[in-house]
Amino acid sequence: MLWTLVFSLLLTCASANDIVLPLLNNTKAVEAFAESAEVVLVGFLEGEASLGYKELLAAAKTVGSVPAALCSVKEVWADYSVSTDTITLFRKADNHQENLVVANAEKLDTDGLVNFITVNEVRYITEYDQVTAVGLFNSGVKTHLVLFANRSSEDYNELKEKLGALAPEFMGKFLFVLINGALKSNSRSLGYFGLKSEDLPRVGIYDGNSDMKWLLPEGDITVERVRDFCQSFQRGELKETKQAGETKAKTEL
Ligand SMILES: *[C@@H]1O[C@H](CO)[C@@H](O)[C@H](O)[C@H]1NC(C)=O
Ligand SMILES: *[C@@H]1O[C@H](CO)[C@@H](O)[C@H](O)[C@H]1NC(C)=O
């Protein structure tokens, strides 16, 4: 509780005058900071003069959705297996720590860091595009609960919020992915499930371990139905059922 308060104060200060990053002085402070948002950045950097500091400050400001802080205490770095200046992204959806070692970065500028952040910004529910696809497919969690919806439709935000709230129950088991089915660039993803844009909204599971997919039967998309669907998958009960869009998938392959 106390830490949450300290951090909300720090975050408020940081956004009020974006001149410096808040300081994290011990492991407890880093832990609390990582807990404070779905995705955060910690600069494990020697100090404000280090290469990467200014860039981190600027990139975090550009992205806007990912809080950033500085930790210069080397005893703390060890707890995160960091030994040299490193910019680290912590995210909750798959409990992942992504390191960018400053000395190994080909070119460390603000644009490069913005790219590092956006690629790895996997959330409890992540909107699919060419950039987030990289982070999604690099994750250790290979099973996706996919929500296909038309962004211009009235229920889009409601569905996103409902399933986004369910996602933490399946942390580390599923990544929840939202695909805007009205976009032409996403028609291949729809086709893979045997869907057309007028069929939406629909929910499916893609399992990257077995390269198999299933569709939740048509009907209201409720939290209960989606939870059951995920749990059925986990119990192995979907394995025997007919796969989604089978004929379509075959003709494509
Ligand atoms: C962290 O340590 C620095 C330097 O000792 C100090 O100025 C700062 O107030 C400390 N921050 C917190 C949150 O304790
Ligand atoms: C998406 O929804 C909007 C608003 O209902 C509609 O006008 C549009 O045709 C839909 N797009 C597709 C590809 O179905």
Side-chain angles (χ1 to χ4, degrees):
M1 275 317 267
L2 177 63
W3 284 109
T4 318
L5 181 67
V6 171
F7 283 111
S8 42
L9 288 176
L10 284 175
L11 294 176
T12 319
C13 294
S15 52
N17 60 1
D18 273 330
I19 302 165
V20 292
L21 293 172
L23 290 171
L24 307 172
N25 288 344
N26 52 53
T27 302
K28 221 172 155 181
V30 176
E31 259 173 38
F33 187 69
E35 202 42 51
S36 70
E38 285 182 41
V39 184
V40 304
L41 292 159
V42 176
F44 293 109
L45 304 170
E46 293 227 358
E48 292 177 14
S50 306
L51 176 63
Y53 181 87
K54 280 201 315 284
E55 292 80 2
L56 175 58
L57 195 56
K61 198 174 170 184
T62 304
V63 173
S65 50
V66 181
L70 173 69
C71 174
S72 300
V73 184
K74 298 237 168 123
E75 293 75 29
V76 177
W77 295 11
D79 287 338
Y80 297 93
S81 308
V82 167
S83 53
T84 67
D85 277 15
T86 299
I87 292 170
T88 298
L89 179 141
F90 293 97
R91 65 183 184 219
K92 290 191 189 181
D94 57 352
N95 194 20
H96 182 71
Q97 171 183 346
E98 183 76 24
N99 289 336
L100 178 72
V101 177
V102 171
N104 298 347
E106 271 178 37
K107 173 164 79 101
L108 197 101
D109 58 13
T110 303
D111 286 350
L113 260 184
V114 167
N115 188 51
F116 170 75
I117 299 167
T118 49
V119 160
N120 290 296
E121 195 183 351
V122 172
R123 296 186 165 265
Y124 279 131
I125 187 158
T126 304
E127 294 198 37
Y128 181 89
D129 60 37
Q130 281 181 329
V131 178
T132 58
V134 178
L136 286 167
F137 286 100
N138 281 342
S139 171
V141 176
K142 300 297 181 197
T143 311
H144 297 172
L145 184 285
V146 189
L147 169 62
F148 291 101
N150 173 350
R151 182 179 269 150
S152 312
S153 68
E154 280 171 21
D155 49 1
Y156 183 87
N157 285 322
E158 190 197 320
L159 282 170
K160 181 185 177 182
E161 271 172 37
K162 264 199 321 206
L163 297 196
L166 175 66
E169 287 182 28
F170 295 98
M171 188 184 90
K173 307 290 183 208
F174 287 89
L175 295 176
F176 281 44
V177 182
L178 178 53
I179 298 186
N180 177 11
L183 277 185
K184 195 122 188 80
S185 55
N186 288 333
S187 60
R188 267 195 86 220
S189 309
L190 265 77
Y192 183 72
F193 277 84
L195 293 172
K196 293 194 200 70
S197 59
E198 56 268 28
D199 301 332
L200 309 187
R202 291 295 294 271
V203 164
I205 286 176
Y206 169 71
D207 177 35
N209 298 307
S210 60
D211 197 26
M212 285 170 82
K213 59 196 180 303
W214 298 268
L215 267 182
L216 180 68
E218 277 180 84
D220 268 358
I221 297 173
T222 62
V223 166
E224 292 70 27
R225 282 187 81 213
V226 175
R227 183 189 285 121
D228 278 353
F229 187 47
C230 291
Q231 290 172 345
S232 299
F233 170 82
Q234 290 181 300
R235 288 193 296 260
E237 290 168 7
L238 297 181
K239 291 273 181 262
E240 303 305 324
T241 60
K242 189 170 174 285
Q243 277 201 269
E246 209 155 37
T247 39
K248 176 87 197 227
K250 270 189 190 137
T251 48
E252 268 182 3
L253 290 174

